[in-house]
Amino acid sequence: MEEVEKRLEGDPDYVHPTTWNGYSNNTTTTEDSSSDSSRGATHASDPEKQFYSLQPPPLERRGTGVDVHGAETEFADLQREFSRQSQHSRKISRQNTRTSVKRGKIAQDAEKAVSSDTSDDAEPFDLEDTLRGNKQLEEDSGIKGKKIGVIWDGLTVKGYGGIRHFQPVFPDAFVNFINVWSTFQSIFGLGKKGAEVEILRNFRGVVKPGEMVLVLGKPGSGCTTFLKVISNQRFGFTDIAGEVLYGPFTSKEFEKRYRGEAVYCQEDDIHHPTLTVGQTLGFALETKVPGKRPGGISANEFKDKVVDMLLRMFNIEHTKNTIVGNPYVRGCSGGERKRVSIAEMMITGGAVLSHDNSTRGLDASTALDYTKSLRVMTNIYSTTTFVSLYQASENIYSLFDKVMIIDEGRQVYFGPVKEARSYFEGLGFLEKPRQTTPDYLTGCTDKFEREYKEGRDASNAPNSSDDLAKAFQESEYAKALDHEMAEYREVVKEEQHVFEDFKTAVIQGKRHATKKSVYSIPLHLQVWALMKRQFILKWQDKFSLYTSWGTSVLIAIVLGTVWLQLPQTSSGAFTRGGLLFICLLFNAFQAFGELASTMLGRPIVNKHRAYTFHRPSALWLAQIVVDLAFSAAQILLFSIIVYFMCGEQSFRTYERDHEPSY
């Protein structure tokens, strides 16, 4: 550098950066200082001019010389200036945010926006410290932990394959009307069914409390089916063979007594779109507030504390008062809605958790944070966690203990995550060091993506799902799995006190419910919680509310106009009967408007039943009560308009005045 500077200084056209005005490293004269101060005062009123006046002159190059030292100095000065400008902009932004919050206007930021009521000096949220503190508080309060492992052997699942349905045309209506046998088959479900196929075949494995399993496979390979069955959700399949044990409990016993302890978070986000995020999580917690709470806090305090923790955990505090929405109702974004689904499942407090592609819609950093949260919760609460992910990063992959790889319904690997890659490379597949391990493992099961090492091909290496399954059964990992399963069975027989604690923890989680019930609260509390939710659903669905009431008022005015001031004599008796009939018929048909929402809400009912939030019968009772209240007010307004416009009050007066005297 010194040699370059000496050579440049020998150039007569070279201008050294120390001679720049305002950036001289030497002692400046009084005249230069006064000129600089006057120039700064001139531009003080205009920030833009002041900014440009402070910039050094352009990098000068004369002849063949290049001012390296000047370029470095210029870059450093620009960096400092831009940093000052950025800090000033952030300061103004924070001031504007605080002002909008005071005025009641909360700005909506991006998905990763921090809650607007959180100051910069607030202590950052540490999930691990929070959960460890909660766990210690639970132990001090005498609340037992729920630790349950899962072992499955010879698991085979069958279901119906796809069948073709032809769209009926007009002549088919006559043929089907005459064909009594076809009508009988359709009524009793005896029609054509698809061929029975094996979705999963001969799965074996064991997962202990505190372990996380990553389930990998191509779409359609059977990952979702495995997660459903391992969560003890067996409806929709024609046959499930093999043994699945949850600790010492069989699948039937676990379904009957501990249904809510094995839960499944589906890939699709199904929620009531007009409820806010806070209301959605609040309802779930109202049905799951345990009877014995840490620290002896009240049910409302416990609910507020858990909701706040979940919102901060998934960084969605800013969406607490935003409706959840769906593809047709604008609300939260897709990533935020996915985090609401995950938080709702965590409220169940289950011991066996299955997440089906729960990172769909999340960006890379949020997906990593979510997986880290699962890791922390699994370690602290010793839950048994299964997660299915597509295109997981290497950092996410390293957080799991075991990995299961499925290919066309066959289990082609189940073992430690650190040894899965070397296992497939040992089978003859080409090493791809620049590809992430999850993508590499999934690619080995895809015939269009797998590549073999030099000298290996489909003739001397596994080429199908059956070949891969056979290779795994003959490997050392299968023998190690047999040994681990045998050890776990012995542990289950010896550690009976762990499962007694599990039973005690389930009972402690109930609030006024019977010991044999799978629900946390009794029927009347479920009905009360659902009534409050149904009222909010009705009230916040403004479009349906305005449409229904507007239609009633409009039809009432039309009927009142058509039958305006009916005659009070016997000549109006028949017409008056027709008016009463059309009024009853219209209000009866109004009830059909609830049919669409009832049918669309069935998946939510099934999900909440699996989460043991409430009984389906409790929902129907709550809906009847709330619908009666809204319908009574609506029919009352309809009747008042028709009553006075059609002269019914005059008819009653006429009857009273002409009553026969005896």
Side-chain angles (χ1 to χ4, degrees), residues 525-536:
L525 291 180
Q526 295 176 20
V527 173
W528 176 244
L530 288 163
M531 283 175 58
K532 292 189 289 185
R533 191 193 69 175
Q534 287 301 119
F535 180 83
I536 295 173

Side-chain angles (χ1 to χ4, degrees), residues 595-640:
L595 184 61
S597 60
T598 302
M599 298 301 295
L600 293 175
R602 291 181 65 181
I604 303 176
V605 176
N606 294 332
K607 181 179 73 170
H608 286 178
R609 180 186 177 276
Y611 288 173
T612 63
F613 285 166
H614 60 81
R615 305 171 187 267
S617 58
L619 175 62
W620 312 139
L621 291 174
Q623 280 186 331
I624 290 172
V625 174
V626 175
D627 288 347
L628 279 176
F630 276 87
S631 298
Q634 184 176 335
I635 294 173
L636 177 63
L637 178 61
F638 176 87
S639 302
I640 290 174

Side-chain angles (χ1 to χ4, degrees), residues 316-532:
I316 51 175
E317 291 176 280
H318 57 288
T319 66
K320 184 175 183 180
N321 297 320
T322 304
I323 63 173
V324 177
N326 61 12
Y328 310 102
V329 179
R330 184 177 181 181
C332 297
S333 65
E336 292 167 346
R337 197 177 302 125
K338 171 59 68 177
R339 284 176 268 181
V340 173
S341 301
I342 299 169
E344 186 183 39
M345 193 203 72
M346 289 184 175
I347 288 174
T348 61
V352 180
L353 310 176
S354 296
H355 302 258
D356 190 1
N357 195 19
S358 294
T359 58
R360 189 187 72 171
L362 304 181
D363 58 89
S365 61
T366 306
L368 178 59
D369 293 340
Y370 154 69
T371 312
K372 288 181 178 178
S373 301
L374 288 183
R375 179 77 265 178
V376 170
M377 296 183 66
T378 303
N379 292 340
I380 295 176
Y381 288 97
S382 299
T383 58
T384 304
T385 307
F386 298 84
V387 183
S388 172
L389 299 177
Y390 295 136
Q391 297 179 339
S393 65
E394 197 69 30
N395 292 331
I396 292 177
Y397 178 79
S398 62
L399 295 172
F400 291 88
D401 301 300
K402 298 178 180 179
V403 59
M404 171 184 285
I405 303 173
I406 304 175
D407 182 19
E408 296 180 356
R410 303 301 304 273
Q411 179 179 313
V412 299
Y413 180 82
F414 181 77
V417 295
K418 297 180 180 179
E419 303 176 18
R421 188 171 193 132
S422 60
Y423 166 76
F424 279 89
E425 291 174 351
L427 292 179
F429 294 104
L430 180 66
E431 296 93 341
K432 297 181 180 180
R434 300 189 65 179
Q435 191 176 24
T436 61
T437 303
D439 288 344
Y440 175 77
L441 298 177
T442 306
C444 290
T445 64
D446 189 353
K447 62 181 180 181
F448 299 106
E449 187 178 351
R450 64 167 67 106
E451 298 180 29
Y452 297 98
K453 295 180 181 178
E454 186 176 355
R456 305 292 294 269
D457 54 23
S459 61
N460 55 15
N463 188 41
S464 64
S465 59
D466 293 334
D467 294 341
L468 289 170
K470 183 179 179 181
F472 174 70
Q473 292 171 1
E474 297 174 353
S475 66
E476 295 295 329
Y477 296 99
K479 298 178 182 178
L481 178 60
D482 293 337
H483 181 67
E484 185 180 7
M485 293 174 66
E487 283 186 345
Y488 180 74
R489 292 181 187 274
E490 294 298 327
V491 170
V492 170
K493 295 178 181 179
E494 295 174 0
E495 297 183 351
Q496 290 297 323
H497 64 280
V498 175
F499 306 110
E500 293 297 327
D501 291 343
F502 174 80
K503 296 177 182 179
T504 304
V506 172
I507 295 175
Q508 289 176 342
K510 300 181 185 299
R511 182 161 52 101
H512 309 302
T514 60
K515 294 182 179 180
K516 294 184 179 180
S517 175
V518 296
Y519 299 96
S520 300
I521 57 176
L523 179 63
H524 68 278
L525 291 180
Q526 295 176 20
V527 173
W528 176 244
L530 288 163
M531 283 175 58
K532 292 189 289 185

Side-chain angles (χ1 to χ4, degrees), residues 96-108 116:
N96 293 338
T97 302
R98 294 191 185 98
T99 304
S100 63
V101 170
K102 291 179 181 178
R103 294 176 179 176
K105 298 178 180 179
I106 301 177
Q108 296 296 328
S116 31

Side-chain angles (χ1 to χ4, degrees), residues 28 31 130 240 636 641 649:
T28 57
E31 182 179 356
T130 302
I240 299 178
L636 177 63
I641 296 174
Q649 80 284 5

